[in-house]
Amino acid sequence: MRGIKIEEAELRIVRLPLLKPFTISTGTMHDKTFPLLILRGEGLEAYAESVVDPLPDYLEETIASGMVLLREVYLPQIVGKRFEHPHALEPILSPWRGHYMTKAVVEMAFYDLFAKSLKLPLQTYLGGSGDRVNVGVSLGIMPLEETIAKTQEHLDKGYKRIKLKIMPGHDVKIVEAIRARFPDCPLSVDVNSAYTLGDMNVMRALDCFRMDYIEQPLAHDDLHDHATLQKEIITPICLDESIRTAAHARKAMTTDATRVINVKVGRVGGYGEAIRIHDLAESFSVPVWCGGMLESGIGRAHNIHLSTLRNFKKPGDTSSASRYFPRDIIHEKLETEKGTMPVPQGLGIGVSLDWDFLETVTLSKEVFKA
Ligand code: OSB
Ligand code: MG
């Protein structure tokens, strides 16, 4: 039996200061706090971060609930064991309800370890190709003048799509102004679930701006109302929060509740499910793109490798790390050039931790040994 043995796991909570607060319809982030998982085995070391937030604002999971699962269930069950293939983790992860973000961090770290054990870049192991991926930016909610200036700045830098965060009361006027100033720019909005079918007037007004898609306009756990909405508007709906599994994706695509999918490997429980969603979407001729959660360089590197799969046909959200953080926890600079992000070279995710800096932003650290 080959595969690789997980000899040790290190679980940290990391808090990285943000350059500026980031506001979406559910609230404002002042820093990026996340679980970081390090797996060691056979002389190799692998990394992943979880996209779970301290409080359940984007989805239901919290760091606290995820830490319980990691500490009491997942890490004790994988440390000291050899796994022949990443799919061998599924029987350990899948019996527990929900917690896709927590499942993902375990699975993603193991993919990094496994690719390293095969001496392959993660991209190659996943079946992706190309050495750069197309990216746009996600602009948080801010005053109109600032939104205009930021849109100009990022278009000048070559970013391939501008996504505006909007919310009730900060929607049609801002999109109208941006569309008037930038008539040809690829444009989308992300609502993070802030509307209901009662807001059809806003939806119809937003439908007039030739946007690429409207991301997650309605409830985070709803598919049916999105299907109803899609019958009323021309702009494609793109689901983010509502798709946590391939089964959700199947139901959304068969009912025309989504015509584009935002795939976040950290939201859907890991690469196994992300690839199933990616492949299923391709069979429906539904393009996907890779979203982000303001990840540090570790999560960013994972996202970039995933984005090299062939049905990632629209620009992703993995923009330059320097847009968000004064300093990152990895040595490599993940910076875009002309709207493309280079795929980190090397084995696995291809980036390395800056241990000295990591120590200064670590809130807690636990080590699990066999
Ligand atoms: O819905 O895509 C989202 C950030 C935090 C929470 C949710 C979302 C986002 C983003 C940021 O849009 C994308 C990025 O990482 O730049
Ligand atoms: Mg989104």
Side-chain angles (χ1 to χ4, degrees), residues 49-131:
E49 69 181 90
S50 176
V51 298
V52 67
D53 290 312
L55 291 171
D57 53 1
Y58 164 80
L59 283 171
E60 305 92 332
E61 259 181 279
T62 64
I63 291 181
S65 69
M67 290 295 276
V68 171
L69 260 181
L70 290 168
R71 216 179 260 137
E72 295 183 14
V73 182
Y74 294 152
L75 298 182
Q77 283 191 54
I78 65 167
V79 172
K81 292 219 182 76
R82 173 177 295 278
F83 294 92
E84 264 188 276
H85 190 276
H87 292 167
L89 288 174
E90 286 194 17
I92 291 176
L93 300 177
S94 67
W96 303 88
R97 301 284 161 91
H99 289 89
Y100 301 105
M101 299 172 172
T102 300
K103 291 170 180 170
V105 74
V106 176
E107 204 250 24
M108 291 164 71
F110 189 72
Y111 263 78
D112 183 29
L113 191 65
F114 198 71
K116 284 169 174 164
S117 77
L118 298 176
K119 301 196 168 51
L120 292 174
L122 181 57
Q123 169 190 29
T124 308
Y125 179 62
L126 295 175
S129 62
D131 57 8

Coordinates of all heavy atoms in Angstrom, one line a residue, residues 49-131:
E49 N -6.1 26.6 4.5 CA -6.8 27.4 5.4 C -8.3 27.2 5.2 O -8.8 26.9 4.1 CB -6.5 28.9 5.3 CG -7.0 29.6 4.0 CD -6.5 31.0 3.9 OE1 -5.4 31.3 3.3 OE2 -7.3 31.9 4.3
S50 N -9.1 27.4 6.3 CA -10.5 27.3 6.2 C -11.1 28.7 5.9 O -10.7 29.7 6.4 CB -11.1 26.7 7.4 OG -12.5 26.7 7.3
V51 N -12.2 28.7 5.1 CA -12.9 30.0 4.8 C -14.0 30.3 5.8 O -14.7 31.2 5.6 CB -13.4 30.0 3.3 CG1 -12.3 29.9 2.3 CG2 -14.5 28.9 3.1
V52 N -14.1 29.5 6.9 CA -15.1 29.7 7.9 C -14.8 31.0 8.6 O -13.7 31.4 8.8 CB -15.2 28.5 8.8 CG1 -13.9 28.4 9.7 CG2 -16.4 28.6 9.7
D53 N -15.9 31.8 9.0 CA -15.7 33.0 9.7 C -16.0 32.9 11.2 O -16.6 31.9 11.6 CB -16.8 34.0 9.1 CG -16.5 34.5 7.7 OD1 -15.3 34.9 7.4 OD2 -17.4 34.4 6.9
P54 N -15.6 33.8 12.0 CA -15.8 33.7 13.4 C -17.3 33.6 13.7 O -17.7 32.9 14.6 CB -15.3 35.0 14.0 CG -14.2 35.4 13.0 CD -14.7 35.0 11.6
L55 N -18.2 34.4 13.0 CA -19.6 34.3 13.2 C -20.3 33.9 11.9 O -19.8 34.1 10.9 CB -20.1 35.7 13.7 CG -19.6 36.1 15.1 CD1 -20.0 37.6 15.4 CD2 -20.2 35.2 16.2
P56 N -21.5 33.3 12.1 CA -22.2 32.8 10.9 C -22.9 33.9 10.0 O -24.1 33.9 10.0 CB -23.3 31.8 11.5 CG -23.6 32.4 12.8 CD -22.3 33.1 13.3
D57 N -22.1 34.7 9.4 CA -22.7 35.8 8.6 C -22.8 35.4 7.1 O -23.9 35.6 6.5 CB -22.0 37.1 8.8 CG -20.5 37.0 8.5 OD1 -20.0 35.9 8.2 OD2 -19.8 38.1 8.7
Y58 N -21.8 34.8 6.6 CA -21.9 34.4 5.1 C -22.7 33.0 5.0 O -23.6 32.9 4.2 CB -20.4 34.3 4.6 CG -20.3 33.5 3.3 CD1 -20.5 34.1 2.1 CD2 -19.8 32.2 3.3 CE1 -20.3 33.5 0.9 CE2 -19.6 31.5 2.1 CZ -19.9 32.2 0.9 OH -19.7 31.5 -0.2
L59 N -22.3 32.1 5.8 CA -23.1 30.8 6.0 C -23.2 30.5 7.4 O -22.7 31.2 8.3 CB -22.4 29.7 5.1 CG -22.6 29.8 3.6 CD1 -21.8 28.8 2.9 CD2 -24.1 29.6 3.3
E60 N -23.8 29.3 7.7 CA -24.1 28.9 9.1 C -22.9 28.6 10.0 O -23.0 28.7 11.2 CB -25.1 27.8 9.2 CG -26.4 28.0 8.4 CD -26.3 27.4 6.9 OE1 -25.2 27.4 6.4 OE2 -27.3 27.1 6.4
E61 N -21.9 28.0 9.3 CA -20.7 27.5 10.1 C -20.0 28.6 10.9 O -20.0 29.8 10.4 CB -19.7 26.9 9.2 CG -19.7 25.4 9.0 CD -18.7 25.0 8.1 OE1 -18.9 25.0 6.9 OE2 -17.6 24.5 8.6
T62 N -19.4 28.3 12.0 CA -18.5 29.2 12.7 C -17.1 28.6 12.9 O -17.0 27.3 12.9 CB -19.1 29.7 14.0 OG1 -19.1 28.5 14.9 CG2 -20.5 30.3 13.9
I63 N -16.1 29.4 13.2 CA -14.8 28.8 13.6 C -15.0 27.9 14.8 O -14.4 26.8 14.8 CB -13.8 30.0 13.8 CG1 -13.5 30.7 12.5 CG2 -12.5 29.4 14.5 CD1 -12.5 31.8 12.7
A64 N -15.8 28.4 15.8 CA -15.9 27.6 17.0 C -16.4 26.2 16.7 O -15.9 25.2 17.2 CB -16.8 28.3 18.0
S65 N -17.5 26.1 15.9 CA -18.1 24.8 15.7 C -17.1 23.9 14.8 O -17.0 22.7 15.1 CB -19.4 24.9 15.0 OG -19.3 25.4 13.7
G66 N -16.4 24.5 13.9 CA -15.5 23.8 13.1 C -14.3 23.3 13.9 O -13.8 22.2 13.7
M67 N -13.9 24.1 14.9 CA -12.7 23.7 15.8 C -13.1 22.4 16.6 O -12.3 21.6 16.8 CB -12.3 24.8 16.7 CG -11.6 26.0 15.9 SD -10.0 25.5 15.1 CE -8.9 25.7 16.5
V68 N -14.4 22.4 17.0 CA -14.8 21.2 17.8 C -14.7 19.9 16.9 O -14.2 18.9 17.4 CB -16.3 21.4 18.3 CG1 -16.8 20.1 18.9 CG2 -16.3 22.5 19.3
L69 N -15.2 20.0 15.7 CA -15.1 18.9 14.8 C -13.7 18.5 14.5 O -13.3 17.3 14.5 CB -15.8 19.2 13.5 CG -17.2 18.7 13.2 CD1 -17.7 19.2 11.8 CD2 -17.3 17.2 13.3
L70 N -12.8 19.5 14.3 CA -11.4 19.2 13.9 C -10.7 18.5 15.1 O -10.1 17.5 15.0 CB -10.7 20.5 13.6 CG -11.1 21.1 12.2 CD1 -10.5 22.5 12.1 CD2 -10.6 20.2 11.1
R71 N -10.9 19.1 16.3 CA -10.3 18.6 17.5 C -10.8 17.3 18.0 O -10.0 16.4 18.3 CB -10.6 19.7 18.6 CG -9.5 20.0 19.5 CD -10.0 21.0 20.5 NE -9.6 22.4 20.2 CZ -10.4 23.5 20.2 NH1 -11.6 23.4 20.5 NH2 -9.8 24.6 19.9
E72 N -12.1 17.1 17.9 CA -12.6 15.9 18.6 C -12.9 14.8 17.6 O -13.0 13.6 18.0 CB -13.9 16.3 19.3 CG -13.7 17.2 20.4 CD -14.9 17.6 21.2 OE1 -15.9 16.9 21.1 OE2 -14.8 18.5 22.0
V73 N -13.0 15.1 16.3 CA -13.4 14.0 15.4 C -12.4 13.9 14.2 O -11.7 12.8 14.1 CB -14.8 14.3 14.7 CG1 -15.2 13.2 13.8 CG2 -15.8 14.5 15.8
Y74 N -12.2 14.9 13.4 CA -11.4 14.7 12.2 C -9.9 14.5 12.4 O -9.3 13.5 11.9 CB -11.6 15.9 11.2 CG -13.0 16.0 10.7 CD1 -13.5 17.2 10.3 CD2 -13.8 14.9 10.6 CE1 -14.8 17.4 9.8 CE2 -15.1 15.0 10.1 CZ -15.6 16.2 9.7 OH -16.9 16.4 9.2
L75 N -9.3 15.3 13.2 CA -7.8 15.2 13.3 C -7.4 13.9 14.1 O -6.5 13.2 13.6 CB -7.2 16.5 13.9 CG -7.4 17.7 13.1 CD1 -6.8 19.0 13.7 CD2 -6.9 17.5 11.6
P76 N -8.1 13.6 15.2 CA -7.8 12.3 15.8 C -8.0 11.1 14.9 O -7.3 10.1 15.0 CB -8.7 12.2 17.0 CG -9.1 13.6 17.3 CD -9.1 14.3 16.0
Q77 N -8.9 11.2 13.9 CA -9.1 10.1 13.0 C -8.2 10.0 11.8 O -8.1 9.0 11.2 CB -10.6 10.1 12.5 CG -11.6 9.7 13.5 CD -12.9 9.5 12.8 OE1 -13.1 8.8 11.9 NE2 -13.9 10.1 13.4
I78 N -7.5 11.1 11.6 CA -6.5 11.0 10.4 C -5.1 10.9 10.8 O -4.3 10.4 10.1 CB -6.8 12.1 9.4 CG1 -6.4 13.5 10.0 CG2 -8.2 12.1 8.9 CD1 -6.3 14.6 8.9
V79 N -4.7 11.5 12.0 CA -3.3 11.5 12.4 C -2.9 10.1 12.7 O -3.6 9.3 13.5 CB -3.1 12.5 13.5 CG1 -1.7 12.4 14.1 CG2 -3.3 13.9 13.1
G80 N -1.7 9.7 12.2 CA -1.2 8.3 12.5 C -1.7 7.3 11.4 O -1.3 6.1 11.4
K81 N -2.5 7.8 10.5 CA -3.0 6.9 9.4 C -2.5 7.1 8.1 O -2.2 8.3 7.7 CB -4.6 7.0 9.4 CG -5.3 6.5 10.6 CD -6.6 5.7 10.2 CE -7.2 5.3 11.5 NZ -7.9 6.4 12.2
R82 N -2.4 6.1 7.3 CA -2.0 6.2 5.9 C -3.2 6.2 5.0 O -4.1 5.4 5.2 CB -1.1 5.0 5.6 CG -0.7 4.8 4.1 CD 0.3 3.7 4.0 NE 1.5 3.9 4.7 CZ 2.6 4.6 4.2 NH1 2.5 5.2 3.0 NH2 3.6 4.8 4.9
F83 N -3.2 7.1 4.0 CA -4.3 7.2 3.1 C -3.8 7.0 1.7 O -2.9 7.7 1.3 CB -5.1 8.5 3.2 CG -5.8 8.7 4.5 CD1 -5.1 9.3 5.6 CD2 -7.0 8.2 4.7 CE1 -5.8 9.4 6.8 CE2 -7.7 8.3 6.0 CZ -7.0 8.9 7.0
E84 N -4.4 6.0 0.9 CA -3.9 5.7 -0.4 C -4.2 6.8 -1.4 O -3.6 6.8 -2.5 CB -4.6 4.4 -0.8 CG -3.7 3.2 -0.6 CD -4.3 2.0 -1.2 OE1 -5.2 1.4 -0.6 OE2 -3.9 1.6 -2.4
H85 N -5.3 7.5 -1.1 CA -5.8 8.5 -2.1 C -6.6 9.5 -1.3 O -7.2 9.2 -0.3 CB -6.7 7.7 -3.1 CG -7.1 8.5 -4.3 ND1 -8.2 9.3 -4.3 CD2 -6.6 8.5 -5.5 CE1 -8.3 9.9 -5.5 NE2 -7.3 9.4 -6.2
P86 N -6.7 10.8 -1.8 CA -7.6 11.7 -1.1 C -9.0 11.3 -1.0 O -9.7 11.6 0.0 CB -7.5 13.0 -2.0 CG -6.2 12.9 -2.7 CD -6.0 11.4 -2.9
H87 N -9.5 10.5 -1.9 CA -10.9 10.0 -1.7 C -11.1 9.1 -0.5 O -12.2 9.0 0.0 CB -11.4 9.3 -3.0 CG -11.5 10.2 -4.2 ND1 -11.7 9.7 -5.5 CD2 -11.5 11.5 -4.3 CE1 -11.8 10.7 -6.3 NE2 -11.7 11.8 -5.6
A88 N -10.0 8.5 0.0 CA -10.1 7.7 1.2 C -10.5 8.5 2.4 O -10.8 7.9 3.5 CB -8.8 7.0 1.4
L89 N -10.4 9.8 2.3 CA -10.8 10.7 3.5 C -12.4 10.8 3.6 O -12.9 11.1 4.6 CB -10.3 12.1 3.4 CG -8.8 12.3 3.6 CD1 -8.4 13.7 3.2 CD2 -8.4 12.0 5.0
E90 N -13.1 10.5 2.5 CA -14.5 10.8 2.5 C -15.3 10.0 3.5 O -16.2 10.6 4.2 CB -15.1 10.5 1.1 CG -14.7 11.6 0.1 CD -15.5 11.6 -1.2 OE1 -16.5 11.0 -1.3 OE2 -15.0 12.3 -2.1
P91 N -15.0 8.7 3.8 CA -15.7 8.0 4.8 C -15.6 8.7 6.2 O -16.4 8.5 7.1 CB -15.2 6.6 4.8 CG -14.5 6.5 3.5 CD -14.1 7.8 3.1
I92 N -14.5 9.4 6.4 CA -14.2 10.0 7.7 C -15.0 11.4 7.8 O -15.6 11.7 8.8 CB -12.7 10.2 7.9 CG1 -12.0 8.8 8.2 CG2 -12.4 11.2 9.1 CD1 -10.5 8.9 8.3
L93 N -14.9 12.1 6.7 CA -15.5 13.4 6.7 C -17.0 13.4 6.5 O -17.7 14.2 7.1 CB -14.9 14.3 5.6 CG -13.3 14.4 5.6 CD1 -12.8 15.2 4.4 CD2 -12.9 15.2 6.9
S94 N -17.5 12.6 5.6 CA -18.9 12.7 5.1 C -20.0 12.4 6.1 O -21.1 12.9 6.0 CB -19.1 12.0 3.8 OG -19.0 10.6 4.0
P95 N -19.8 11.5 7.2 CA -20.9 11.2 8.0 C -21.5 12.4 8.8 O -22.6 12.4 9.3 CB -20.3 10.2 9.0 CG -19.1 9.6 8.4 CD -18.6 10.7 7.5
W96 N -20.7 13.4 9.0 CA -21.1 14.6 9.8 C -21.8 15.6 9.0 O -21.5 15.9 7.8 CB -19.8 15.2 10.5 CG -19.2 14.1 11.3 CD1 -18.3 13.2 10.9 CD2 -19.6 13.7 12.6 NE1 -18.0 12.3 11.9 CE2 -18.8 12.6 13.0 CE3 -20.5 14.2 13.6 CZ2 -18.9 11.9 14.2 CZ3 -20.6 13.5 14.8 CH2 -19.8 12.4 15.1
R97 N -22.9 16.1 9.5 CA -23.7 17.1 8.8 C -23.1 18.4 8.5 O -22.4 18.9 9.4 CB -25.0 17.3 9.6 CG -25.8 16.1 9.9 CD -26.6 15.6 8.7 NE -27.0 14.2 8.9 CZ -28.1 13.8 9.4 NH1 -29.0 14.6 9.8 NH2 -28.4 12.5 9.5
G98 N -23.4 18.9 7.4 CA -22.9 20.3 7.0 C -21.4 20.5 7.2 O -20.6 19.6 6.8
H99 N -21.0 21.6 7.8 CA -19.6 21.9 8.0 C -18.7 21.7 6.8 O -17.6 21.1 7.0 CB -19.2 21.1 9.3 CG -19.8 21.6 10.5 ND1 -21.0 21.2 11.0 CD2 -19.3 22.6 11.4 CE1 -21.3 21.8 12.1 NE2 -20.3 22.7 12.3
Y100 N -19.2 22.1 5.7 CA -18.4 21.9 4.5 C -17.1 22.7 4.5 O -16.1 22.2 3.9 CB -19.2 22.3 3.2 CG -20.5 21.5 3.1 CD1 -21.8 22.1 3.4 CD2 -20.5 20.2 2.8 CE1 -22.9 21.4 3.4 CE2 -21.7 19.5 2.7 CZ -22.9 20.1 3.0 OH -24.1 19.4 2.9
M101 N -17.1 23.8 5.2 CA -15.8 24.6 5.2 C -14.8 23.9 6.1 O -13.6 24.0 5.8 CB -16.1 26.0 5.8 CG -17.1 26.8 4.9 SD -17.5 28.3 5.8 CE -18.4 29.2 4.6
T102 N -15.3 23.2 7.1 CA -14.3 22.5 8.0 C -13.9 21.2 7.3 O -12.7 20.9 7.4 CB -15.1 22.2 9.3 OG1 -15.4 23.5 9.9 CG2 -14.2 21.5 10.3
K103 N -14.8 20.5 6.6 CA -14.4 19.4 5.9 C -13.3 19.7 4.8 O -12.3 19.0 4.6 CB -15.6 18.7 5.2 CG -16.5 18.1 6.1 CD -17.8 17.7 5.5 CE -18.8 17.1 6.5 NZ -20.1 16.9 6.0
A104 N -13.5 20.9 4.2 CA -12.7 21.3 3.1 C -11.2 21.5 3.6 O -10.3 21.2 2.9 CB -13.2 22.6 2.5
V105 N -11.0 22.1 4.8 CA -9.7 22.4 5.2 C -8.8 21.1 5.4 O -7.7 21.1 5.0 CB -9.6 23.3 6.4 CG1 -9.9 22.6 7.7 CG2 -8.3 24.0 6.5
V106 N -9.5 20.1 5.8 CA -8.8 18.8 6.0 C -8.5 18.2 4.6 O -7.3 17.8 4.4 CB -9.7 17.8 6.8 CG1 -9.1 16.4 6.9 CG2 -10.1 18.4 8.2
E107 N -9.5 18.2 3.8 CA -9.3 17.6 2.5 C -8.3 18.3 1.6 O -7.4 17.8 0.9 CB -10.7 17.5 1.8 CG -10.9 16.5 0.7 CD -11.0 17.2 -0.6 OE1 -10.5 18.3 -0.8 OE2 -11.6 16.5 -1.5
M108 N -8.4 19.7 1.7 CA -7.4 20.5 0.9 C -6.0 20.3 1.3 O -5.1 20.3 0.5 CB -7.9 22.0 0.9 CG -9.2 22.3 0.2 SD -9.9 23.9 0.7 CE -8.7 25.0 -0.1
A109 N -5.8 20.3 2.6 CA -4.4 20.1 3.1 C -3.9 18.7 2.7 O -2.7 18.6 2.3 CB -4.4 20.2 4.7
F110 N -4.8 17.7 2.7 CA -4.3 16.4 2.3 C -4.1 16.4 0.8 O -3.1 15.7 0.3 CB -5.3 15.3 2.7 CG -4.7 13.9 2.4 CD1 -3.7 13.4 3.2 CD2 -5.1 13.2 1.3 CE1 -3.1 12.2 2.9 CE2 -4.5 11.9 1.0 CZ -3.6 11.5 1.8
Y111 N -4.8 17.1 0.0 CA -4.5 17.2 -1.5 C -3.1 17.7 -1.7 O -2.3 17.3 -2.5 CB -5.5 18.0 -2.2 CG -6.6 17.2 -2.9 CD1 -7.7 16.7 -2.2 CD2 -6.6 17.0 -4.3 CE1 -8.7 16.0 -2.8 CE2 -7.6 16.3 -4.9 CZ -8.7 15.8 -4.1 OH -9.6 15.0 -4.8
D112 N -2.8 18.8 -0.9 CA -1.4 19.4 -1.0 C -0.4 18.3 -0.6 O 0.6 18.2 -1.4 CB -1.4 20.6 -0.1 CG 0.0 21.3 -0.2 OD1 0.6 21.3 -1.3 OD2 0.4 22.0 0.8
L113 N -0.6 17.6 0.5 CA 0.3 16.6 0.9 C 0.5 15.5 -0.2 O 1.6 15.1 -0.5 CB -0.1 16.0 2.2 CG 0.8 15.1 3.0 CD1 2.1 15.9 3.4 CD2 0.2 14.4 4.2
F114 N -0.7 15.1 -0.7 CA -0.7 14.0 -1.6 C 0.1 14.4 -2.9 O 0.9 13.6 -3.5 CB -2.1 13.5 -1.9 CG -2.2 12.2 -2.5 CD1 -1.9 11.0 -1.8 CD2 -2.6 12.0 -3.9 CE1 -2.0 9.8 -2.4 CE2 -2.6 10.8 -4.5 CZ -2.4 9.7 -3.7
A115 N -0.2 15.6 -3.4 CA 0.4 16.0 -4.7 C 1.9 16.1 -4.4 O 2.8 15.7 -5.3 CB -0.1 17.4 -5.1
K116 N 2.3 16.6 -3.2 CA 3.8 16.7 -2.9 C 4.4 15.3 -2.8 O 5.5 15.1 -3.3 CB 4.0 17.4 -1.6 CG 3.8 18.9 -1.7 CD 3.7 19.7 -0.4 CE 3.7 21.2 -0.6 NZ 3.3 21.9 0.6
S117 N 3.6 14.3 -2.3 CA 4.2 12.9 -2.2 C 4.4 12.3 -3.6 O 5.2 11.5 -3.8 CB 3.3 12.0 -1.4 OG 2.1 11.6 -2.2
L118 N 3.6 12.8 -4.6 CA 3.7 12.3 -6.0 C 4.7 13.2 -6.8 O 4.9 13.0 -8.0 CB 2.4 12.4 -6.7 CG 1.3 11.5 -6.2 CD1 0.0 11.7 -6.9 CD2 1.7 10.0 -6.3
K119 N 5.3 14.2 -6.1 CA 6.2 15.2 -6.7 C 5.5 16.0 -7.8 O 6.2 16.2 -8.9 CB 7.5 14.5 -7.1 CG 8.2 13.9 -5.9 CD 9.7 13.5 -6.3 CE 10.5 13.2 -5.1 NZ 9.9 12.1 -4.3
L120 N 4.3 16.3 -7.7 CA 3.5 17.0 -8.7 C 3.0 18.4 -8.2 O 2.7 18.5 -7.0 CB 2.3 16.2 -9.1 CG 2.5 14.9 -9.8 CD1 1.2 14.2 -10.0 CD2 3.2 15.1 -11.2
P121 N 3.0 19.4 -9.1 CA 2.2 20.6 -8.7 C 0.8 20.2 -8.5 O 0.3 19.3 -9.2 CB 2.3 21.5 -9.9 CG 3.4 20.9 -10.8 CD 3.5 19.4 -10.4
L122 N 0.1 20.8 -7.6 CA -1.3 20.5 -7.4 C -2.2 20.6 -8.7 O -3.0 19.7 -9.0 CB -1.9 21.4 -6.3 CG -3.4 21.1 -5.9 CD1 -3.6 19.6 -5.5 CD2 -3.9 22.1 -4.8
Q123 N -1.9 21.6 -9.4 CA -2.6 21.8 -10.7 C -2.5 20.6 -11.6 O -3.5 20.2 -12.2 CB -1.9 23.0 -11.4 CG -2.3 23.2 -12.8 CD -1.4 24.2 -13.6 OE1 -0.2 24.3 -13.3 NE2 -1.9 24.8 -14.5
T124 N -1.4 20.0 -11.7 CA -1.2 18.8 -12.5 C -2.0 17.6 -12.0 O -2.7 16.9 -12.7 CB 0.3 18.4 -12.6 OG1 1.0 19.6 -13.0 CG2 0.6 17.3 -13.6
Y125 N -1.9 17.5 -10.6 CA -2.7 16.4 -10.0 C -4.2 16.5 -10.2 O -4.9 15.6 -10.5 CB -2.3 16.3 -8.5 CG -3.1 15.2 -7.9 CD1 -2.9 13.8 -8.3 CD2 -4.1 15.4 -6.9 CE1 -3.7 12.8 -7.7 CE2 -4.8 14.4 -6.4 CZ -4.6 13.1 -6.8 OH -5.4 12.1 -6.3
L126 N -4.7 17.8 -10.2 CA -6.1 18.0 -10.4 C -6.5 17.9 -11.9 O -7.7 17.7 -12.1 CB -6.4 19.5 -9.9 CG -6.3 19.8 -8.5 CD1 -6.5 21.3 -8.2 CD2 -7.2 18.9 -7.6
G127 N -5.6 18.0 -12.8 CA -5.9 17.9 -14.2 C -6.1 19.2 -14.9 O -6.7 19.3 -15.9
G128 N -5.5 20.3 -14.3 CA -5.6 21.6 -14.9 C -4.5 21.9 -15.8 O -3.5 21.1 -15.9
S129 N -4.5 23.0 -16.5 CA -3.5 23.3 -17.4 C -3.3 24.9 -17.5 O -4.2 25.6 -17.1 CB -3.7 22.8 -18.8 OG -4.9 23.3 -19.3
G130 N -2.2 25.3 -18.0 CA -1.9 26.7 -18.2 C -1.1 27.3 -17.0 O -1.2 26.7 -15.9
D131 N -0.3 28.3 -17.2 CA 0.5 28.9 -16.1 C 0.0 30.2 -15.5 O 0.6 30.8 -14.6 CB 1.9 29.0 -16.5 CG 2.2 29.8 -17.7 OD1 1.2 30.5 -18.2 OD2 3.3 29.9 -18.3

